[in-house]
Amino acid sequence: QVQLVESGGGLVQPGGSLRLSCETSGFDFYQFGIKWYRQAPGKERELVAGVSELRLYTNYAESVKGRFTISRDDNKRTAYLQMNRLKPEDTAVYFCNARFQELDGRVYEYWGQGTQVTVSS
């Protein structure tokens, strides 16, 4: 059974930090690219950060560059999102996504249930 379980969200003051975790099971984690998305109320889900398999490359939304860091630990089957210098506009539900595409084009994609991050004084 595939599971992605996010944790680490909560209420933090502007300028503070949080570290989100995405613990996984039920699939070959090391083969999958991992992305963090977020969705604020009334807005579309947006890509925040991604890390490829083997940590070959990472990418970030412009709005979080220099503040957020994505990482992964294949031995623990877990991905992380370190969020520093948080702003009220970072308030959203954060989702973990795992995606793998076979050579024949088949795509395997899984989502977590999300964790709420609220940045407010």
Side-chain angles (χ1 to χ4, degrees), residues 41-102:
K43 294 187 177 181
E44 294 188 354
R45 191 171 295 190
E46 64 171 346
L47 176 65
V48 176
V51 58
S52 69
E53 65 277 14
L54 302 178
R55 297 189 293 276
L56 293 175
Y57 61 85
T58 58
N59 63 288
Y60 297 90
E62 284 296 324
S63 59
V64 307
K65 278 184 180 178
R67 300 188 298 122
F68 290 11
T69 303
I70 189 171
S71 61
R72 62 187 295 161
D73 185 331
D74 289 353
N75 290 327
K76 294 183 178 179
R77 305 172 55 85
T78 301
Y80 304 95
L81 185 67
Q82 178 66 44
M83 306 186 296
N84 299 327
R85 290 184 282 137
L86 282 160
K87 304 175 181 180
E89 51 263 43
D90 295 319
T91 295
V93 178
Y94 284 71
F95 297 90
C96 178
N97 168 278
R99 188 179 189 277
F100 170 68
Q101 184 166 352
E102 297 266 20

Side-chain angles (χ1 to χ4, degrees), residues 22-59:
C22 174
E23 298 182 40
T24 74
S25 60
F27 62 99
D28 291 326
F29 178 81
Y30 74 98
Q31 290 188 315
F32 282 65
I34 301 297
K35 291 181 170 68
W36 286 94
Y37 288 80
R38 68 186 181 187
Q39 188 165 20
K43 294 187 177 181
E44 294 188 354
R45 191 171 295 190
E46 64 171 346
L47 176 65
V48 176
V51 58
S52 69
E53 65 277 14
L54 302 178
R55 297 189 293 276
L56 293 175
Y57 61 85
T58 58
N59 63 288

